[in-house]
Amino acid sequence: MSKTFFITTAIDYTNGAPHIGHAYEKVLTDAIAHHRRLRGEPVFFMTGVDQHGQKVQQSAAKQGIEPAEFVAGITELFVALWKKLDIRYDAWAATVEDLHKHCVQGMLQRLWDEGKFYKATQSGHYSVRQEQFLTEKERGPDGEFGPEWGEVVLIEEENYYFKLAEHRQWLLDLIDQRSAAGNPLVVPDFRVAELRNAVEKLAGDLCISRPKSRLTWGIELPFDRDFVTYVWFDALSNYISFAGYDAAPGADLSLFKSRWPAVHVIGKDILAPPHGIYWLIMLHALGFTDEEMPTLLVHGWWNIAGAKMSKSLGNIVDPSELVDRYGRAATRYYLLSDIATGRDADFSNERLEQRYNTELANSLGNLLNRTLNMAKRYRSGVLKKSDSPLAEFVQEKTKAWDSAMEAFHVQTAIEALMEIVIRCNAYVEETAPWKLAKDPAQADKLDEVLYSLSESLRIVSILLLPILPEESNAMRAQLNWSGEPTLANTAWGLLPDAHQLGDPVPLFPRIEVPA
């Protein structure tokens, strides 16, 4: 069985509607998955929803409905948004499904049988928002717990604990070894130090349960029915449960091993401790080798004027409304082109409008329309295959695009794509086909220009596919090229002699901005 490129996003917590950060994460992952498919790799792209937890139970109670009904309503919002954004995932992970429960309980039972859990009574400060007990290390310089922890209350209760701290040195060594080998555990690599610093501070163990007297909306511990498992052993395990993992002795793991290890696309706020510490140590405890540890692709936040978006500040951007206002193409393009993977960026409606109008409507859309119109007017839409001064440049930028996409630098890849478009537009002005058409002696040069532009646009249409799948297909339809959109087919010269182009249809209508 061939190795599959397995990429998954952090599953979305169903205690609130999707926001712009959710949308960016999915569009980014979708673009990466499309790129790998263009390279001919089998891809398994998974996303989903995290539906258990105390906050969900509390929110449902406030509305007077059962948690299952509450999460179903929120889940519908996420599913509808991914459809609106044309997110093409291969698998959907919902933590209320029986498959997931079976896997989680199998993992818990195995770790319990191997003595990796213990039961103890703990009293201390508890973060309601993060659903975890806090230690003195979480206090700020002023002695108070910071706003990131939300409401903090004093609790004393008996629970089960995972022996987390005993894996601390293993994780530190793994981080160092992967970095030294040029294959960092965390991408981009400037996040590695952040994770390592967090691991250095690791001292206590991880509470992995909640008593049913306080929380019933969760997966029951298989070895103690008076408790449900706490969020991390539930939510994080989706990455393997829906990929075919089974903790039972002798289980057939051939499908799972053909996919694993994965690339997890996550926000910077859940790198440490959830994914970079809890999840990796959970896998290690289950017997996953160092080579089987996933790669964590960590993206930044969309801010407003440098400030984090929040409901309390009233500056949340609704991605569904964004698509309704500007369209899917403008939204996807802006989210991928205006932020460097791993960094933060400021969201701006004006910037979205500007990038779309300048780069898609005026530059790419106009180039496609001009080329097809000129070919139709001067050659009845029929091309004559010719050598081209653009060939080397286009191939060079195509390689740069592929390298950037492979490194998850989608913004850089878009820049390479747009360099081709900019060069083609300059080539039109340099050669002035409308003048060449008036001079019979320049017939061969006119044919060269029309072929160069059409072939460049064919290649651009393939490079555009991860960013704007629908518009990419529409471009190829107008070029009347029915070849497979693959990276191999970005080789120069695949439009044959006497190729008949299609009719131009405006692809990127301008966004009209009120004066």
Side-chain angles (χ1 to χ4, degrees):
M1 188 178 293
S2 60
K3 178 63 180 172
T4 297
F5 177 71
F6 179 17
I7 187 165
T8 177
T9 69
I11 56 176
D12 300 305
Y13 185 41
T14 53
N15 197 44
H19 54 68
I20 197 69
H22 294 126
Y24 168 62
E25 184 173 277
K26 299 305 176 292
V27 172
L28 172 64
T29 310
D30 187 62
I32 294 169
H34 272 298
H35 167 247
R36 295 295 180 133
R37 294 188 187 107
L38 286 180
R39 298 179 77 171
E41 298 179 37
V43 172
F44 185 66
F45 168 20
M46 188 179 79
T47 188
V49 281
D50 166 21
Q51 297 163 300
H52 289 126
Q54 186 173 355
K55 286 179 284 186
V56 169
Q57 181 174 289
Q58 291 170 341
S59 296
K62 286 180 181 178
Q63 294 188 18
I65 59 178
E66 291 298 315
E69 182 182 352
F70 176 80
V71 297
I74 302 294
T75 296
E76 286 180 7
L77 298 177
F78 283 100
V79 172
L81 179 59
W82 305 154
K83 184 176 181 180
K84 189 179 268 192
L85 284 168
D86 197 18
I87 306 299
R88 304 185 187 187
Y89 49 85
D90 301 296
W92 180 257
T95 57
V96 295
E97 291 190 20
D98 289 340
L99 178 149
H100 179 69
K101 294 178 182 178
H102 169 79
C103 182
V104 170
Q105 290 183 323
M107 292 166 55
L108 292 170
Q109 186 64 57
R110 178 171 154 188
L111 293 176
W112 171 252
D113 292 342
E114 294 175 358
K116 293 173 181 174
F117 296 151
Y118 62 90
K119 195 176 186 181
T121 298
Q122 180 174 355
S123 60
H125 293 90
Y126 180 82
S127 165
V128 177
R129 172 185 293 174
Q130 301 294 345
E131 300 187 51
Q132 71 181 74
F133 283 98
L134 306 178
T135 68
E136 290 304 306
K137 290 186 177 182
E138 271 80 48
R139 290 187 187 274
D142 59 358
E144 299 295 323
F145 294 108
E148 68 272 19
W149 300 111
E151 181 186 4
V152 176
V153 296
L154 278 170
I155 287 181
E156 179 177 271
E157 69 182 19
E158 191 174 41
N159 272 304
Y160 287 89
Y161 290 82
F162 172 43
K163 297 177 182 178
L164 191 77
E166 65 183 32
H167 299 269
R168 174 180 172 276
Q169 191 57 51
W170 162 80
L171 185 50
L172 287 172
D173 291 343
L174 176 66
I175 293 170
D176 293 343
Q177 289 164 8
R178 287 277 294 263
S179 295
N183 180 30
L185 197 62
V186 182
V187 179
D189 57 10
F190 68 80
R191 294 280 179 203
V192 173
E194 177 185 333
L195 175 59
R196 200 182 192 288
N197 290 338
V199 178
E200 285 278 11
K201 297 176 183 177
L202 181 61
D205 291 332
L206 177 66
C207 182
I208 61 102
S209 70
R210 294 292 181 266
K212 282 188 178 177
S213 59
R214 184 155 68 89
L215 175 63
T216 58
W217 182 240
I219 298 175
E220 189 177 86
L221 295 187
F223 47 84
D224 192 334
R225 295 186 175 182
D226 290 333
F227 292 82
V228 296
T229 190
Y230 165 60
V231 60
W232 300 125
F233 261 92
D234 178 357
L236 291 170
S237 299
N238 90 91
Y239 299 126
I240 57 177
S241 64
F242 290 95
Y245 181 76
D246 191 332
D252 181 5
L253 298 179
S254 57
L255 177 62
F256 174 71
K257 288 184 177 180
S258 73
R259 295 168 172 165
W260 194 261
V263 173
H264 297 328
V265 182
I266 62 173
K268 66 178 185 179
D269 54 324
I270 54 175
L271 169 60
H275 288 79
I277 299 178
Y278 300 160
W279 178 228
L280 299 184
I281 290 178
M282 286 162 58
L283 291 172
H284 182 59
L286 285 165
F288 284 64
T289 66
D290 290 0
E291 293 72 26
E292 292 173 328
M293 291 297 136
T295 296
L296 306 175
L297 174 56
V298 183
H299 63 78
W301 287 340
W302 282 99
N303 299 320
I304 296 286
K308 182 182 177 182
M309 294 185 193
S310 71
K311 292 180 181 178
S312 60
L313 293 175
N315 61 359
I316 293 290
V317 175
D318 183 338
S320 184
E321 292 181 0
L322 208 61
V323 178
D324 290 341
R325 179 177 179 182
Y326 294 114
R328 177 163 59 203
T331 303
R332 281 185 65 118
Y333 188 80
Y334 174 71
L335 290 178
L336 292 173
S337 65
D338 214 47
I339 186 171
T341 307
R343 303 289 183 179
D344 290 352
D346 271 340
F347 179 86
S348 162
N349 286 291
E350 293 75 20
R351 190 82 177 127
L352 183 156
E353 295 162 358
Q354 179 191 47
R355 292 206 76 135
Y356 173 86
N357 282 338
T358 301
E359 298 173 27
L360 292 183
N362 295 353
S363 195
L364 177 54
N366 188 46
L367 175 65
L368 176 64
N369 197 268
R370 291 175 82 185
T371 299
L372 293 176
N373 271 314
M374 288 188 297
K376 187 174 184 179
R377 183 180 305 120
Y378 306 139
R379 291 292 185 264
S380 300
V382 178
L383 297 176
K384 182 177 180 181
K385 191 168 184 178
S386 311
D387 292 333
S388 171
L390 295 184
E392 184 177 350
F393 178 83
V394 172
Q395 294 294 273
E396 175 189 323
K397 293 304 173 182
T398 298
K399 289 179 182 177
W401 175 91
D402 183 46
S403 296
M405 289 296 295
E406 184 178 19
F408 312 126
H409 299 314
V410 180
Q411 182 195 49
T412 304
I414 292 175
E415 290 173 356
L417 181 160
M418 289 308 301
E419 284 186 66
I420 298 175
V421 175
I422 291 168
R423 180 68 191 96
C424 286
N425 276 314
Y427 182 63
V428 172
E429 299 306 316
E430 292 165 8
T431 58
W434 49 91
K435 293 182 180 178
L436 297 176
K438 296 177 181 179
D439 184 356
Q442 296 293 328
D444 288 344
K445 182 63 178 178
L446 178 60
D447 287 332
E448 175 191 290
V449 172
L450 295 175
Y451 185 85
S452 297
L453 295 174
S454 299
E455 180 64 356
S456 296
L457 282 163
R458 183 191 67 81
I459 293 170
V460 165
S461 76
I462 296 175
L463 305 186
L464 186 68
L465 191 148
I467 316 304
L468 303 175
E470 185 178 359
E471 287 69 25
S472 164
N473 294 335
M475 280 186 67
R476 288 192 300 283
Q478 291 188 38
L479 293 166
N480 195 30
W481 187 71
S482 58
E484 285 294 316
T486 65
L487 194 60
N489 281 341
T490 59
W492 185 270
L494 297 190
L495 285 178
D497 191 44
H499 178 76
Q500 175 71 60
L501 295 171
D503 294 325
V505 179
L507 189 58
F508 299 108
R510 283 182 56 84
I511 295 172
E512 297 303 327
V513 182

